[in-house]
Amino acid sequence: MGDDFDVIVVGAGMAGSAAAIRLAQGGANVLLLERGSELGAKNLSGGILWGHDLDAILPNWWHEMPVERHIVRKRFGFLSAERSLSVDFEDGDWRKEPYVAHSVLRARTDAWLAQQAEAAGATVVSSVPVERLHWEGRKVHGVVQGGEVMSAPVTIVADGANSRLSLGTPIRPNAHLAPEATELGLKEVYRLDPSVIEERFQVGPGEGHAEEWVTGIFPEGVLGGGFLYTNRDTLSLGLIVNVASLYDRGVYTTDLIEQFKLHPTIASRLKGAELVEYGAKLISSGWASRPAAFHGDGWMIAGDAAGFVFSNGLVIQGMNYAVRTGLAAAETALAAKTSGDASAARLAEYDRRLAATGVIGDFRDFAKMDEVKWNPRFYAAYPKFVTELFHAMMTETGAPKKPVRRLAAEARKAAGVSMTRLIRDGIELYRST
Ligand SMILES: Cc1cc2nc3c(=O)[nH]c(=O)nc-3n(C[C@H](O)[C@H](O)[C@H](O)COP(=O)(O)OP(=O)(O)OC[C@H]3O[C@@H](n4cnc5c(N)ncnc54)[C@H](O)[C@@H]3O)c2cc1C
């Protein structure tokens, strides 16, 4: 008897839905399975979508997709106890179509994307928590749910960061993610009138502002950053915290997000806003979090499940890689269907596509950054150093003026960082970028 489907895709996030759309467009009989009772319900991002990878399957997608605002400004900065220092970047090109980035709320975008898969001809089923891959020796031949096998020559694993389908299998022999390469994302959504958003963040209707902060305000050793993005009539606010840095510190992540919100710089942005939603999700990011392989007999792994989230403290980009890797897996599956061969040798084309589309390079070449970005001094000493320095330079007290080099030395001392350490960290950061 033949297989139930040509391809089974597990997970209707950005990776799975993009794959299912392309597969259906290419004429494959594809099943997209999602555990959430409603499509999009389980999905969470900050989130800024750099969406140009979607052009390949959905031309002019931003006219139809329920995106929030197109981003016209990014702010990056440091927070210390009572101070903040930031840099704004604005780019005229970002104001023009095709826009480069949009703020999104995943419950809306992901439901819409899965609907596009269905419209293209995929069978999309929610409320199906796939139990496991159906292994025949080292080959995957579909999935198991409710004790029943659904078979297909190719299965695309796109079940997100804490990929239960791959953990403890030949794809990811460890049963758990490594805490050092795992981050916890916390997010809250606040309702605020669009006219207040536009006035407060100095953007026009439809335009958005995004900001990311290195947070030197947490208990010693807790490493993380914060974000705040403008949506149509809400603000998305949250933290990304290194999981290993939370061990044995006795801190509650709810306290961390409270600390972030209470910082005067952030509190002023939230004035009058009402909390309407909150959530948390793991992020498995960087080259160190990659699985043992990206493909094998009858399977490929895409998106967060494969660790394809790029984060360097300045940006977090996972949705774009989810779409790109989902599409690469779909193209490979279409070629496998044509040749009637879903062996590991045939599906090796996936790795070649990952390399050709820059995915492998982006992660392998920035592997050093994954280590350097968790240097504890970036989350304590340096925010203090830069904000102390600017405080001293910017505040007129009537006292005799001091040269900047002296102020810098004093700020360094106050932050407890030696010149040698500062230079070494600077060189290491430079080399990793
Ligand atoms: C707080 C936070 C902020 C972020 N900010 C950004 C940002 O600004 N920009 C950006 O590009 N990226 C951001 N990211 C990363 C981004 O969210 C991910 O990279 C992206 O969601 C990956 O998409 P995915 O399809 O691979 O996985 P997911 O979106 O996690 O989708 C996986 C899907 O699989 C389903 N699933 C899981 N297990 C099963 C199962 N057994 N059976 C059936 N279905 C299953 C899940 O319900 C889910 O729908 C952020 C992440 C977090 C947590």
Side-chain angles (χ1 to χ4, degrees):
M1 228 173 72
D3 284 314
D4 301 323
F5 295 92
D6 294 328
V7 185
I8 295 177
V9 182
V10 185
M14 292 258 168
S17 287
I21 293 170
R22 179 66 197 107
L23 284 160
Q25 287 174 344
N29 179 15
V30 53
L31 173 66
L32 174 61
L33 295 172
E34 167 57 40
R35 70 177 166 172
S37 54
E38 280 172 47
L39 295 165
K42 293 269 184 195
N43 304 6
L44 185 136
S45 271
I48 303 298
L49 170 65
W50 299 84
H52 57 83
D53 288 292
L54 286 167
D55 297 351
I57 43 170
L58 300 165
N60 300 328
W61 52 272
W62 64 93
H63 289 303
E64 309 287 329
M65 193 189 219
V67 291
E68 298 296 312
R69 291 171 179 268
H70 61 269
I71 299 303
V72 298
R73 182 189 313 110
K74 275 207 82 168
R75 175 171 297 155
F76 165 75
F78 293 95
L79 297 181
S80 65
E82 288 278 304
R83 299 174 184 142
S84 64
L85 173 70
S86 61
V87 178
D88 273 6
F89 177 70
E90 296 200 26
D91 188 329
D93 287 348
W94 290 15
R95 293 183 189 272
K96 300 179 205 145
E97 290 203 57
Y99 305 117
V100 293
H102 293 85
S103 53
V104 295
L105 291 168
R106 296 286 299 280
R108 294 181 189 160
T109 52
D110 287 32
W112 181 85
L113 267 180
Q115 282 155 14
Q116 304 315 299
E118 200 156 30
T123 303
V124 182
V125 191
S126 56
S127 296
V128 180
V130 171
E131 282 160 28
R132 58 184 173 84
L133 296 171
H134 178 52
W135 289 91
E136 291 174 350
R138 289 189 70 83
K139 174 179 157 184
V140 170
H141 195 182
V143 299
V144 182
Q145 205 271 329
E148 269 184 43
V149 175
M150 288 176 258
S151 71
V154 177
T155 300
I156 298 176
V157 181
D159 59 342
N162 199 17
S163 171
R164 298 236 170 251
L165 293 194
S166 65
L167 286 164
T169 76
I171 306 175
R172 283 186 181 275
N174 288 337
H176 303 286
L177 297 173
E180 309 74 39
T182 307
E183 291 144 38
L184 177 66
L186 305 156
K187 179 178 171 185
E188 295 183 346
V189 178
Y190 287 83
R191 186 165 315 286
L192 193 60
D193 192 84
S195 61
V196 178
I197 293 181
E198 282 148 24
E199 198 190 327
R200 191 168 291 172
F201 293 93
Q202 297 182 358
V203 288
E207 293 181 343
H209 162 102
E211 55 188 48
E212 275 127 25
W213 296 95
V214 175
T215 44
I217 55 174
F218 296 146
E220 204 188 332
V222 175
L223 315 177
F227 62 84
L228 193 150
Y229 304 139
T230 56
N231 304 318
R232 264 169 215 273
D233 59 357
T234 55
L235 302 176
S236 292
L237 167 138
L239 296 178
I240 310 280
V241 188
N242 175 279
V243 168
S245 81
L246 291 171
Y247 281 19
D248 301 325
R249 304 244 180 242
V251 291
Y252 290 100
T253 49
T254 43
D255 291 343
L256 298 180
I257 204 157
E258 280 308 306
Q259 268 177 285
F260 182 53
K261 285 185 318 198
L262 287 173
H263 189 283
T265 300
I266 304 301
S268 65
R269 286 149 168 75
L270 288 180
K271 203 167 157 222
E274 178 203 353
L275 177 67
V276 287
E277 235 179 71
Y278 60 89
K281 195 169 173 289
L282 289 178
I283 303 167
S284 171
S285 84
W287 194 233
S289 71
R290 69 191 184 283
F294 297 119
H295 75 277
D297 267 325
W299 64 269
M300 288 172 277
I301 187 163
D304 273 23
F308 288 133
V309 183
F310 185 92
S311 92
N312 63 4
L314 271 181
V315 297
I316 170 158
Q317 296 173 350
M319 290 184 269
N320 52 333
Y321 289 106
V323 172
R324 203 181 307 167
T325 58
L327 293 182
E331 294 295 351
T332 307
L334 287 172
K337 176 179 180 297
T338 307
S339 65
D341 175 8
S343 66
R346 188 72 194 76
L347 299 186
E349 181 186 326
Y350 179 49
D351 284 35
R352 289 193 287 277
R353 285 182 178 274
L354 292 180
T357 53
V359 177
I360 298 287
D362 285 358
F363 286 87
R364 196 192 42 215
D365 298 349
F366 287 87
K368 185 76 186 144
M369 170 60 91
D370 296 329
E371 293 162 32
V372 172
K373 76 181 179 196
W374 294 126
N375 176 341
R377 285 179 290 282
F378 292 145
Y379 304 89
Y382 295 138
K384 183 150 193 218
F385 167 59
V386 291
T387 53
E388 284 283 335
L389 176 60
F390 272 74
H391 168 78
M393 288 194 307
M394 301 285 178
T395 315
E396 160 61 25
T397 61
K401 300 227 179 295
K402 297 178 188 171
V404 172
R405 62 177 185 285
R406 196 149 145 224
L407 295 178
E410 285 173 9
R412 255 196 313 101
K413 226 171 158 189
V417 57
S418 71
M419 183 61 120
T420 327
R421 194 33 80 201
L422 184 69
I423 292 168
R424 277 202 194 137
D425 286 345
I427 292 172
E428 203 175 20
L429 180 66
Y430 177 73
R431 284 192 178 145
S432 72
T433 53

